[in-house]
Amino acid sequence: MRILVTGGAGFIGSHLCERLLRDGHEVICLDNFFTGSKGNIAGLLPHPGFELIRHDITEPILLEVDRIYNLACPASPIHYQYNPVKTIKTSVMGAIHMLGLAKRVRARILQASTSEVYGDPQVHPQNEEYWGHVNPIGVRSCYDEGKRVAETLMMDYHRQNGVDVRIIRIFNTYGPRMAVNDGRVVSNFIVQALQGEDLTVYGDGGQTRSFCYVDDLVEGMVGMMETDGFTGPVNLGNPAETTILEFARRIIGLTGSRSQIVFKPLPADDPKQRQPDISLVRQRLGWEPRVEVETGLKRTIDYFAAKLARE
Ligand code: NAD
Ligand code: UDP
């Protein structure tokens, strides 16, 4: 098949492009390089089945494809809050353009949604039935509400125009090729620990997250795309929940670092707890994460150690 991956030069997108090429598909990677980089896909450029297009999905584009994975959108709070109007345009106009394309060329389209659609959840763990608890006017809403509208558009194009859609709600995913300056907790803590700097825990570190290794996520994405007759939304993540303070201690332990932990102010609307209920995806796809957090973290630490040594 010919497959379009928007945001293909980003962290998750680059792993997805690699996987799809390995499966024998032709891959068109579309990216505006806001948070993605050419370095992430440098290894794929010589592949005869790989094409790269610099394009911003807030503008329409016409391509002949069979599948669209719509990942274009900055994912780290510092990056999506840098230009919030652009973030919401990327989610909303990007979804409209990609759905218009899917409708026109009869492609199946998968939307990378997020656990952020649950906001600061009052149900724990979060299952897909839960409608969420999102502040519509807060600093995270450009991302959360943008992604919620993208889900709405998916379902409306599906009901109104018969577009074949898939919605996945990704929970915190980590791994090699996160940017050193990404700003999310996994890369921040690992880079700080490797450089002997203090680890910056926001708030008292009592808030929780559940971290999924990127290879597991990509397996679930492809599985969801190729499952017939099931639009989702479906949660994809690893239920292994940890407080951020425990997580900081773990990174210090795994890196053997002498870094200390310092506490910084908690950003506004930071969700207090997050853990995916993955019963639905287990039942429908037989998918579940396989990479232990310790194994995934060691691989990620090795990646950053090598990268920092080169810089
Ligand atoms: P990332 O920032 O590394 O990747 C996003 C990519 O989209 C980058 O390559 C960026 O340059 C590109 N992009 C941004 N705006 C664009 C635009 N207007 N036009 C074209 N390209 C644009 O982040 P990621 O972690 O790889 O996230 C990928 C997708 O998965 C995002 O949609 C994100 O919301 C979603 N997601 C990720 C996580 C996670 O934990 N990593 C969790 C939930 C959802
Ligand atoms: N966090 C932290 N220190 C950092 C970066 C993040 O304590 O240097 C916290 C952040 O406040 C949040 C959690 O770690 O509670 C996860 O943050 P991230 O930005 O990775 O993703 P989020 O799940 O909040 O979108």
Side-chain angles (χ1 to χ4, degrees):
M1 285 187 286
R2 189 176 303 140
I3 304 184
L4 172 63
V5 179
T6 78
F11 155 54
I12 296 174
S14 62
H15 287 273
L16 178 64
C17 289
E18 198 176 345
R19 160 69 192 263
L20 295 170
L21 286 172
R22 218 170 36 235
D23 288 349
H25 301 293
E26 284 178 37
V27 173
I28 302 177
C29 166
L30 179 157
D31 209 292
N32 72 347
F33 298 109
F34 174 45
T35 51
S37 71
K38 288 189 183 153
N40 281 345
I41 42 147
L44 307 181
L45 289 172
H47 196 295
F50 185 75
E51 249 177 284
L52 174 64
I53 301 178
R54 179 188 279 265
H55 181 79
D56 193 306
I57 56 154
T58 58
E59 300 293 335
I61 188 164
L62 180 59
L63 297 162
E64 288 293 333
V65 290
D66 307 297
R67 298 278 189 265
I68 302 168
Y69 286 88
N70 190 31
L71 275 64
C73 183
S76 161
I78 56 164
H79 293 299
Y80 70 63
Q81 288 170 26
Y82 170 74
N83 185 344
V85 173
K86 177 72 195 231
T87 299
I88 198 155
K89 279 187 184 169
T90 296
S91 277
V92 176
M93 295 167 70
I96 290 172
H97 293 144
M98 290 305 122
L99 281 158
L101 177 64
K103 180 181 158 192
R104 186 159 168 177
V105 302
R106 297 179 195 280
R108 184 179 286 181
I109 178 168
L110 177 144
Q111 171 65 21
S113 188
T114 167
S115 52
E116 284 283 321
V117 300
Y118 301 122
D120 188 7
Q122 291 164 317
V123 165
H124 193 77
Q126 293 78 54
N127 64 41
E128 295 84 351
E129 302 283 297
Y130 180 47
W131 288 356
H133 181 230
V134 173
N135 175 358
I137 55 167
V139 290
R140 293 175 87 102
S141 59
C142 60
Y143 183 74
D144 301 11
E145 298 289 17
K147 290 285 189 178
R148 286 170 66 98
V149 172
E151 287 199 11
T152 307
L153 285 161
M154 290 279 145
M155 292 314 294
D156 283 339
Y157 270 79
H158 175 63
R159 285 184 290 250
Q160 196 175 329
N161 302 107
V163 176
D164 195 8
V165 304
R166 301 285 180 276
I167 301 169
I168 56 164
R169 292 181 177 154
I170 304 172
F171 283 65
N172 297 66
T173 297
Y174 70 96
R177 301 207 196 115
M178 294 185 93
V180 169
N181 66 351
D182 179 87
R184 282 176 280 183
V185 70
V186 178
S187 44
N188 271 10
F189 283 180
I190 292 177
V191 170
Q192 289 162 344
L194 290 173
Q195 296 187 322
E197 291 166 7
D198 293 339
L199 271 66
T200 51
V201 168
Y202 302 159
D204 63 6
Q207 70 273 32
T208 70
R209 294 293 187 273
S210 309
F211 295 103
C212 180
Y213 190 65
V214 64
D215 288 358
D216 281 330
L217 179 82
V218 166
E219 187 64 32
M221 291 176 94
V222 173
M224 185 62 186
M225 178 66 110
E226 298 310 330
T227 297
D228 288 329
F230 178 46
T231 59
V234 80
N235 290 339
L236 288 181
N238 189 329
E241 187 183 12
T242 170
T243 68
I244 294 302
L245 185 56
E246 279 163 7
F247 191 65
R249 293 197 181 113
R250 196 161 185 189
I251 299 287
I252 289 175
L254 286 171
T255 50
S257 172
R258 297 176 153 212
S259 295
Q260 305 291 309
I261 290 172
V262 292
F263 294 90
K264 300 267 180 182
L266 188 68
D269 296 337
D270 199 286
K272 285 182 263 318
Q273 51 178 5
R274 179 181 294 157
Q275 183 189 35
D277 178 336
I278 58 166
S279 320
L280 180 64
V281 67
R282 262 201 192 111
Q283 181 207 331
R284 297 298 296 255
L285 272 67
W287 176 90
E288 60 183 0
R290 299 194 183 284
V291 181
E292 297 288 335
V293 178
E294 180 142 339
T295 311
L297 284 176
K298 280 185 183 155
R299 287 185 203 159
T300 312
I301 290 166
D302 289 348
Y303 167 81
F304 278 109
K307 191 166 173 69
L308 292 172
R310 281 197 304 271
E311 279 175 4

